[in-house]
Each structure stands twice: as C-alpha cells, then as structure tokens.
Amino acid sequence: MKRFVRAPLLCTALLAFAAFVHDPGARAQDMRLIGSGASFPAPIYAAWFKTFSKGANGVIVDYQSKGSGAGIQDFINHTVDFAASDAAMTDEEIAKVKDGVVLIPITAGTIVLAYNLPDVAQLKLPHDVYPDIFLGKITKWNDPRITAANPGAKLPDMPITVVRRSDASGTSFVFTKHLSAVSPAFAKQVGFGTTVEWPASDKIVGAPKNDGVTATIKQTPGAIGYIEYGYAKLTKTPNALLQNKAGKYVEADEKTGAAALAAAKLGPDLRGWVDDPDGADAYPIATFTWLLFYKQQDVKKADVLRKLVDFCASKGQAMADSLGYIPLPAPVVAKVKSAANEIK
Amino acid sequence: MLSQPFAIATSPDAVTHPPANFEYLTDRTFRALAMAAAALLIILVAYILWKIGGQAMPAIQKYHLNFLISSQYNVQELKFGILPGIWGTLYSSLLALLIGGFFGLSVAIFLTQGFLPPRLAFVFRLIIDMLAAIPSVVFGLWGIFVVIPAIRPAANLLNEYLGFIPFFGTSLSGPGLLPAAIVLAIMVLPTVAAISQDALNSVPYRTKEAAFGMGATLWEVILKVMVPTAAGGIFSAMVLGFGRALGETMALAMLIGNANQVSLSLFAPAETLAALLASHFPEAGPAEVEVLMYAALVLLAITLVVNVAGIGLLTLTQRQISGKA
C-alpha cells in the first residue's frame, strides 16, 4: 500500500521544486545584486548593504567575503555584479575585463600592532624598529632599541613571539607593503603580497583570520601581531603607538587615520596607496579598500549600482567610525561620486 | 530468469507462496540499485582523483618531485615546496596516535573488562562518543584557550633544563606541534576507543573463562589473552584513528602555528598539508591553485598508503594470531 502513496508524494515534491526553481523569473521586479571579495571591509559592507536593502524596494545585495583575490577572480569571470578588493586591481587584471572597470575607494581602515605584555600599559615602537621585529631580527622585549624608546616601561626579558596571518589576506598585503616601504631589508627578504614567505623562526607563528590572530596574541605572553583596528577596538586588545615618518608617535584612531588618508594621492582611476604617509599626525599603516564595478551592464542594474555607491559614499560614511573604519576624506567622496557616473 | 522454478508451488491456503512477479521485480530492482550505488562510489573516487590530478598536472610538470623535498613556499617568486607540510602532517598524526591510541585502548579495556557496572559503562561510552560530535573549530578554540596555557610552564621548564635533547630544542610560545598533537589525540580517541571496544567485545566469552580457569590473574587475562586476541580489530582502530588525524584541518590550522619549517622540536610551530590547503585556498591565484591541488594529491596519496599499509599489516597480524598460514 505504502508504495502507491509514495509516488504522488514524490511528484508533488518535484513539482514544488520546479516551482521553486522557476520562481525568480516570475518576480522580475525584484533585483538581486551579487558581490564578493575582501574580508577586511566585510563587517561594514554587511551593515551598509542591509541598510541599503531596507531603503530600496525589492533590491537585495548579497556579499560574500571570500578574500580580495577570489573577488577579483569572480569579477574577471563575470560571476558577480560587483566585487571588492583591498589591493584594487592590477593593470593586467583590468585588461582582462572586457566591459571596463570602475574602481571606487569606498572606505578605509588602519592596521594596528597588538601586543601582549601585561605590565606594559603603553608601548612605543620606532619607525625602524617594528619592521625588524617582523623580520625576526629583534627577538627580545628588552632589546636596547625597544627600551630606548620606552623609558620607564618595565619591558621583560622575554622572547618576542610574532603572530602573523596564516591565510592569504588583504590585511597582510597592506601591512607588508608598508613594512617594505619603510625597511629596504624587509622589501628584499620578504617583499609584499597577500601571502608572503615570512622568515623561518620558532617565534613567528601563523594564525587564521583576524580573530585567530587576536586570540593567539591574547593567549601568548610576549606576543605581537598585526590586526585591523576594528578588531582591536572590539576586543580591547592593547596596541602600540607607532612612530610615523615625521617622527611622531601616534595612536590609531579616526583622526590619525584620516590624516594618513589625506596624504593619499589617488590616480585618475582612483587607485593609490599610502605606504608610508608624511603628515605629522598621520598613523603610518592605513589603506583604502575598493569596490569594483563594470563600466557596461544592464541599464536597470547600473541604475541601482549607482544608487548603492551614492548611498555608501554619503550616508554610509557616517556609519564608518562606529564600526572601526575611517570615513573617506571629503575630496575623495567628491571624486567617488563623479566616478560613479561611469557605471552605465 | 524467465523461468520461475517455484511456480509449481503449494496449495492456496498454505502459509507460504511462490514469489510473485512483483517480488521478482522488487528483488531485481534492488539488486540493480545496489550495484549502481557501488559503481557510483568507485566512479566518484576515480572522478575526484582525475579532477584533482588534472588540475595539479601543470604544477607536477613544473615542480616535479622537488616539490616534495623543498621547504620554500613563496607565492611572489612562485617557488613551492611542501616538505614542512608532509613532515608536520606525519609528525603530528603519529604523536596524536601515540597519545590517543594509548588512552583510547585503555578506555576500551576499562569499559569492556568488567571494571564498571554495565549501566555506568554505558554512560561512559555515551560521553566518549559525544567527543566525536564536537566540531573541530571548538577543539581549536579549546586548544588556544586551555591546552596551550596549561602546558606552557612544563614545556618551557623542559626546554630550559633538557634543551639539548632535540625534542625540547625550542621554547613553546603559543601555537606549536605539541598542543596540536594533544588536541588531535583527543579528537582521534573516540574512533580508537569505539572500534577497540567492538574488537574486545567480539572475543568469545569462553576464551576469557578458559584463561581464568587456568589460574590467570585479571591483568594476565587482559594483556596476554584478550588484547592479543582482539589485536586485529584494535590495530584497525589505530589505522582509522591515524587516517582521521591525517586529514584533520580546522583545529590544526588554529593550533599548529603554520610555520614553514621542519623541526624535531615538539614545541616549535609547524605546518600540516590540510592546514596549508585550508588557509591558502580562499585567496589563491591560478598559479597557486595548481600547487595546492598537487599538495592535495600528496595528502590523498599519504592517506591511501597509510590505509593500504594498515590493511596489509592487519591481515598479517590476524594470520599470526589465529595461526592460519
């Protein structure tokens, strides 16, 4: 008896499935935008896109934080409507996109050096010292070059454990790019990239993602590592004051980050990095992060994408601060808004 | 099978009746389905190998076997080698098996040889099985927050006084081989314990009684009769545990330290193939994907060799114990 019951059931299930598959076509007025890429700005994108979807009737923006490299790959393969990258795009990558590329710097962030020294409330690291720590050349916390910058601090006779990202990431890209700009030795031995070959040492360990690095630093006395400012802020991990190019020790916050970005010279395609900013108040490690769009696409989609950029560049910037990102400087916002018109 | 040999059957009122056409059909359909499922399984494995092998082929041609003995992994200069990964995978898994195997077998003996009332033993068994259900990432976090701080003082003491022994050659800062191996040991323990219990339970009760009857003490019975008789099953428990340890990813990626180096020291950071794959895949460019596919192929090969060797050894020991030629 049971056998005969099952067949209709199966048919119903199949029909339901077919209806489900067919559904998006039936409701054409809804629009779904798909994006993928950088994980560094993913928290702020999630907040932006959610707010944007609420305001725009029937538009859903899906963002997958896969990493900048994967985002660029998806963008070239045309499997997404837009992508995001911490490293913008290289000329070769741009050449691979037939429909043309609009690069839009949309938010910015800083990277801090978090450390774990319970007895040291404030740590100052000179401009030429922290690259050598990440090269494994300075191995003890009471190294004369560190103590000289921190008179009065109780720096222990403890080995320095460097915690780095084990996965490929835009954070590593920005950080190693900065170190390479500061230290020729670092540029020669390690170089920069989303993954680099760190010096082989028992005191340089890798941990996955920002949260893995943060957890490892917090659990390892004598550890130092690089994480996004937002994460350090969220987890209240102490981070070092860094000496900038002008010789001043600065703390990472919205003001010093904005000062760093003010020094940025963006090219006509809105690409540009601040490897080692000049300003007296500039925090040394800061970067823009980009959204990537096609120049040519479906008219309706282009319309929504322009609205999305406009939303992020105006209302979105007000949300940046509380999420640990730096609002774009006003001249950049103006450039972004005019660049958005190229999305057609 | 057109002829139906049982058709000349019994009278209609009999309890049984010859198989109806319908039953023949069910039987044949089921048989065909089972065959198809079995064939699909083999095809699936072959397809995976072919796909991974195909994608790895450019890297195999570029880096040859040098890939297996080089310890440089540099994406910028496109120089790749996975010796640290192979070394770390085998070292951490062996260490984990050593610890997890010992405790797993001890637990199995404890639970099956009448040390506990049956109800309590049942509860214990449930708890150990539950260990297997804990997600890998939770084990990883537990390792970072509990295991590493717990073993750090002892590890650094060992390094200070016995640092001349290569195994204790470096101090433990945070992530490293030993914490990874300890957590891995706990992860393989349920597998080892469960299969060893089955093996010990399947030894005929009469064997045990006979040993007692000859005046053997409890421990003599356990160590000289029960364990050797169940050795085959226990051994396969170890092999399966080792296989699980080889492929474990997330907890290791969090605990091993991901350092591209070959070191004998238990406290040094190391690398495993699975962790390498997990951390590099998401952002890998086309050139690196080939390399990672090659690494995946190597990991597959290692697992295959371990399993085949395990099965070989298993049949060998079984022959020795049961005395068959």
Side-chain angles (χ1 to χ4, degrees), chain B:
Chain B
M1 278 206 254
L2 284 169
S3 65
Q4 298 188 352
F6 308 107
I8 25 116
T10 42
S11 69
D13 353 297
V15 188
T16 169
H17 64 91
N21 279 336
F22 163 71
E23 275 160 318
Y24 275 106
L25 192 71
T26 331
D27 183 52
R28 278 173 206 162
T29 319
F30 181 73
R31 192 189 299 241
L33 274 177
M35 296 288 266
L40 263 180
L41 210 66
I42 295 168
I43 292 170
L44 186 69
V45 172
Y47 179 72
I48 290 172
L49 274 176
W50 179 65
K51 213 57 195 168
I52 295 179
Q55 292 200 40
M57 204 35 100
I60 296 174
Q61 283 163 350
K62 242 179 271 172
Y63 306 104
H64 306 287
L65 290 177
N66 194 30
F67 188 63
L68 306 180
I69 50 164
S70 156
S71 56
Q72 204 182 11
Y73 194 96
N74 192 322
V75 184
Q76 274 75 43
E77 293 171 28
L78 293 179
K79 285 180 184 158
F80 296 102
I82 53 163
L83 182 66
I86 298 174
W87 167 259
T89 304
L90 292 175
Y91 198 5
S92 62
S93 302
L94 266 176
L95 215 57
L97 188 66
L98 220 64
I99 306 170
F102 175 76
F103 282 103
L105 182 56
S106 307
V107 164
I109 291 172
F110 182 63
L111 292 181
T112 55
Q113 301 308 308
F115 288 95
L116 285 180
R119 273 176 195 226
L120 212 56
F122 175 74
V123 172
F124 263 75
R125 212 165 294 153
L126 266 186
I127 292 172
I128 290 165
D129 286 347
M130 257 159 58
L131 271 183
I134 297 176
S136 185
V137 65
V138 174
F139 271 115
L141 283 175
W142 182 72
I144 290 179
F145 289 103
V146 179
V147 176
I148 292 175
I151 64 173
R152 189 184 286 129
N156 288 345
L157 216 65
L158 277 174
N159 168 245
E160 206 170 309
Y161 294 106
L162 298 170
F164 56 89
I165 303 172
F167 295 115
F168 309 132
T170 57
S171 63
L172 179 79
S173 39
L177 193 72
L178 189 63
I182 289 176
V183 170
L184 203 51
I186 299 169
M187 296 177 80
V188 301
L189 191 137
T191 315
V192 175
I195 303 173
S196 299
Q197 279 179 57
D198 287 347
L200 286 167
N201 275 334
S202 64
V203 175
Y205 195 65
R206 269 183 280 171
T207 311
K208 198 175 175 181
E209 277 183 329
F212 276 123
M214 288 168 75
T217 64
L218 178 63
W219 282 106
E220 279 170 338
V221 172
I222 291 172
L223 294 178
K224 293 185 177 163
V225 177
M226 296 305 286
V227 172
T229 317
I234 292 170
F235 190 80
S236 57
M238 300 289 172
V239 171
L240 281 172
F242 194 61
R244 162 127 209 236
L246 285 176
E248 187 45 56
T249 310
M250 202 50 222
L252 281 185
M254 294 166 83
L255 288 172
I256 195 114
N258 305 287
N260 223 13
Q261 58 174 3
V262 176
S263 166
L264 256 186
S265 172
L266 294 174
F267 309 140
E271 177 73 292
T272 76
L273 287 176
L276 177 88
L277 290 172
S279 50
H280 284 258
F281 242 118
E283 290 233 10
E288 201 187 353
V289 166
E290 293 166 7
V291 170
L292 291 174
M293 286 296 181
Y294 192 178
L297 210 60
V298 173
L299 182 58
L300 259 174
I302 292 176
T303 328
L304 195 73
V305 167
V306 165
N307 276 319
V308 169
I311 293 167
L313 271 170
L314 182 66
T315 36
L316 208 74
T317 44
Q318 267 176 337
R319 269 185 210 154
Q320 272 177 355
I321 287 165
S322 55
K324 281 174 212 148

